[in-house]
Amino acid sequence: MSEQVKLNVWLPKHKREQYLSIQRKLQEKFATTMNTLFKDIEGSANKYKEKLVEEYGTAYNYEVADPSDIFENIEMETYEFYKAEKLMEYNFHLSLLASTYQIFEQQLRGFIYSELNHKLSPIRTKDEFSKFGFNMGQIKEAYEFINYDLTNTSQWETVELLADLVNTYKHGDGRSAKRLYSKSPDLFLKGYFGDERLIDVELTTNAEIVFDIEKVGFDKYTNAIIEFWEDFPEHLNPIVEID
């Protein structure tokens, strides 16, 4: 026989600030890293080229070696250096976004579990934490149980876009990639000739640059998460039905 009970779900100030501070710290570290390691990749490549010119200038006997071959080697090595730096920038950007989303998902999971299972709660979940909320679908169901629909928040569309972007980056083409492409096709880089996506040509999402990183704004997604926690109610008092 089922019964109705009233819950007191509480997001105290210190916990809200804890959730917010880690997202703000991610923004800060992202900006610092981009402005130090990746601020001037072209400049770094030019310095690398100058170093190669100096090294190659004493490494060969120019009376025997063809200067054009040496110049071609320098240009090729410089280009490979530049490509590697751009790939590192790309992977840093997207891997930190992946961490951002995973932290947010765990924040949601940990909060709702603790609120349903603290010592003063009139109910308990059937599963222990290790088996609770394995994915965002299950986490959304837990919030629906307390009559709070995550998908109705103003930030959720951006959160879902981030989820699809992160899953595509981690796993490659699949359901998330198809959803992402239908929502934001401009994020996918195309080949130099034709309309074929690079993700379909390269068959990877992290060993080659296949997203237009200029259109993947880091703060766009972290700001949405920050705003979500800023807007989350301090108190929720749902009446729920339990068996």
Side-chain angles (χ1 to χ4, degrees):
M1 183 176 179
S2 61
E3 63 174 314
Q4 291 184 332
V5 297
K6 185 176 182 180
L7 300 182
N8 178 26
V9 177
W10 179 38
L11 178 61
K13 183 177 179 180
H14 74 274
K15 187 177 285 279
R16 187 193 305 272
E17 190 53 41
Q18 177 187 356
Y19 292 161
L20 292 170
S21 64
I22 190 169
Q23 299 293 341
R24 290 171 179 150
K25 181 60 72 173
L26 286 165
Q27 287 184 331
E28 176 190 323
K29 291 303 179 184
F30 175 80
T32 300
T33 303
M34 296 301 284
N35 286 326
T36 52
L37 294 182
F38 305 116
K39 183 177 182 180
D40 186 12
I41 292 177
E42 288 189 8
S44 297
N46 287 333
K47 289 180 181 178
Y48 183 75
K49 181 178 179 179
E50 291 171 2
K51 178 185 175 185
L52 289 178
V53 168
E54 184 177 341
E55 291 176 353
Y56 275 66
T58 58
Y60 293 92
N61 181 351
Y62 281 84
E63 293 182 0
V64 178
D66 186 343
S68 65
D69 289 340
I70 297 172
F71 179 75
E72 185 178 344
N73 287 339
I74 290 173
E75 289 293 321
M76 186 177 299
E77 287 190 41
T78 301
Y79 178 63
E80 291 301 321
F81 175 89
Y82 175 81
K83 275 182 59 181
E85 288 294 297
K86 293 297 288 184
L87 183 61
M88 292 305 102
E89 176 190 32
Y90 168 86
N91 275 298
F92 173 76
H93 190 137
L94 289 169
S95 61
L96 199 61
L97 271 179
S99 294
T100 296
Y101 177 75
Q102 288 170 331
I103 288 170
F104 176 60
E105 189 176 275
Q106 290 186 26
Q107 287 174 335
L108 286 173
R109 179 179 179 234
F111 175 70
I112 189 62
Y113 183 85
S114 64
E115 288 304 294
L116 293 175
N117 290 281
H118 62 78
K119 62 183 180 181
L120 298 180
S121 174
I123 65 172
R124 294 289 184 275
T125 58
K126 295 178 180 178
D127 295 326
E128 58 186 24
F129 187 64
S130 63
K131 298 178 181 178
F132 175 85
F134 272 143
N135 53 50
M136 187 58 82
Q138 293 181 7
I139 293 170
K140 284 193 289 188
E141 289 178 2
Y143 280 85
E144 288 169 4
F145 176 72
I146 62 167
N147 299 328
Y148 192 80
D149 189 344
L150 295 176
T151 65
N152 282 340
T153 61
S154 61
Q155 302 85 13
W156 204 254
E157 184 177 347
T158 304
V159 169
E160 286 188 327
L161 192 65
L162 174 60
D164 285 335
L165 175 62
V166 165
N167 284 328
T168 303
Y169 170 67
K170 289 164 57 178
H171 305 298
D173 201 8
R175 286 180 299 176
S176 293
K178 288 177 174 58
R179 283 196 302 266
L180 182 64
Y181 188 71
S182 69
K183 297 174 188 174
S184 299
D186 58 322
L187 294 181
F188 292 76
L189 289 173
K190 302 289 181 65
Y192 292 111
F193 305 103
D195 292 328
E196 193 170 14
R197 304 179 308 174
L198 286 183
I199 188 175
D200 300 319
V201 175
E202 302 293 350
L203 303 180
T204 181
T205 52
N206 44 40
E208 296 286 345
I209 298 174
V210 299
F211 294 120
D212 188 344
I213 202 68
E214 297 298 325
K215 295 179 181 177
V216 182
F218 189 84
D219 284 356
K220 169 184 176 179
Y221 298 105
T222 48
N223 282 339
I225 293 171
I226 287 170
E227 289 168 9
F228 173 90
W229 285 122
E230 287 176 337
D231 292 348
F232 196 90
E234 182 179 0
H235 290 282
L236 290 169
N237 300 109
I239 296 175
V240 302
E241 193 168 285
I242 60 174
D243 295 328

